Amino acid sequence: MEEISVTIKRSRRRTLSVEVQKDGSVIVRAPRKARQEVIRDFLEVRKEWIASARHRVMQEREQLAAVVPLDETEVEALKERAREAVTARAAYYAAQLGVDYGRIAIRRQKTRWGSCSAKGNLNFNCLLALAPQKVLDYVVIHELCHRLEMNHSDAFWAHVEKMMPDYKAQRAWLKENGDALMAKIYPVT
């Protein structure tokens, strides 16, 4: 295996874990008192998995780097499309849920698809306009359900599931395709 740098993050955890980040870097999470030899052995046993995961991540990075970013005019048009779609869907689903909300803002967010403030203001990523309708609906429902539960408890997810029984498929779509959408505004370098 090629020589790679590994960052070790120690905490009060009891077990070792390894993860490959989107930039290909490797992080080992370890108990505070784990000996270096134990960590080294742990990595040795997992070297094939690490190499495979790094290869996959770097291929994904290359694909994302090939995505043609939107220019400012296209982003502004996207914001308007998102505003129209989100506003209509929020009104529809809020009535279904029996909740109200404050203002709706459409932004170019780097890491979030949506959010709900304690005051009931809703924020959505303009890139949702490029997602399938059911994915956009899922994000709207998710944020509106925070008007009932300001957390991600079982009760919160029960509200989401009641409104959209297949919400897990929409979450999976975002997980699978979200980086490619984000690359439309935030190119991978």
Side-chain angles (χ1 to χ4, degrees):
M1 183 166 87
E2 69 181 85
E3 191 65 33
I4 56 170
S5 91
V6 174
T7 302
I8 299 172
K9 295 190 175 185
R10 295 179 182 270
S11 67
R12 295 176 58 184
R13 67 181 297 129
R14 294 180 180 199
T15 60
L16 290 166
S17 71
V18 62
E19 61 186 77
V20 175
Q21 302 292 297
K22 290 182 181 182
D23 65 358
S25 63
V26 176
I27 295 177
V28 172
R29 299 189 188 284
R32 278 191 170 62
K33 295 182 179 185
R35 294 187 335 266
Q36 283 300 115
E37 308 83 60
V38 171
I39 295 171
R40 189 174 47 248
D41 291 347
F42 175 81
L43 288 170
E44 181 63 29
V45 167
R46 287 158 181 79
K47 70 181 180 183
E48 287 182 25
W49 179 87
I50 294 168
S52 173
R54 287 189 79 238
H55 179 73
R56 187 180 66 253
V57 163
M58 298 317 279
Q59 279 186 320
E60 289 170 3
R61 253 182 107 66
E62 286 176 21
Q63 290 171 346
L64 293 176
V67 172
V68 177
L70 301 172
D71 65 30
E72 284 305 312
T73 304
E74 292 169 317
V75 172
E76 289 307 312
L78 195 61
K79 282 183 176 179
E80 277 311 305
R81 273 182 42 207
R83 183 175 319 286
E84 288 174 21
V86 165
T87 300
R89 301 314 281 166
Y92 173 78
Y93 286 117
Q96 300 286 315
L97 282 162
V99 298
D100 61 356
Y101 55 89
R103 66 171 172 72
I104 293 176
I106 306 296
R107 297 196 163 96
R108 321 165 49 136
Q109 296 168 299
K110 258 189 177 180
T111 59
R112 292 184 174 206
W113 295 108
S115 62
C116 176
S117 74
K119 292 181 179 179
N121 294 323
L122 305 176
N123 297 300
F124 295 95
N125 192 315
C126 65
L127 290 166
L128 286 171
L130 298 176
Q133 181 68 48
K134 283 202 74 160
V135 172
L136 183 143
D137 285 354
Y138 159 69
V139 176
V140 169
I141 289 167
H142 180 113
E143 299 314 328
L144 287 171
C145 285
H146 281 308
R147 299 297 294 139
L148 298 168
E149 300 282 339
M150 280 300 285
N151 54 50
H152 288 112
S153 64
D154 289 345
F156 167 82
W157 290 112
H159 291 300
V160 173
E161 188 168 26
K162 183 177 179 186
M163 293 301 298
M164 181 175 273
D166 68 341
Y167 79 90
K168 289 179 182 176
Q170 312 322 315
R171 283 180 69 191
W173 189 95
L174 277 175
K175 187 172 177 76
E176 177 84 17
N177 300 286
D179 288 344
L181 285 183
M182 290 290 183
K184 291 282 198 184
I185 294 181
Y186 301 105
V188 174
T189 53

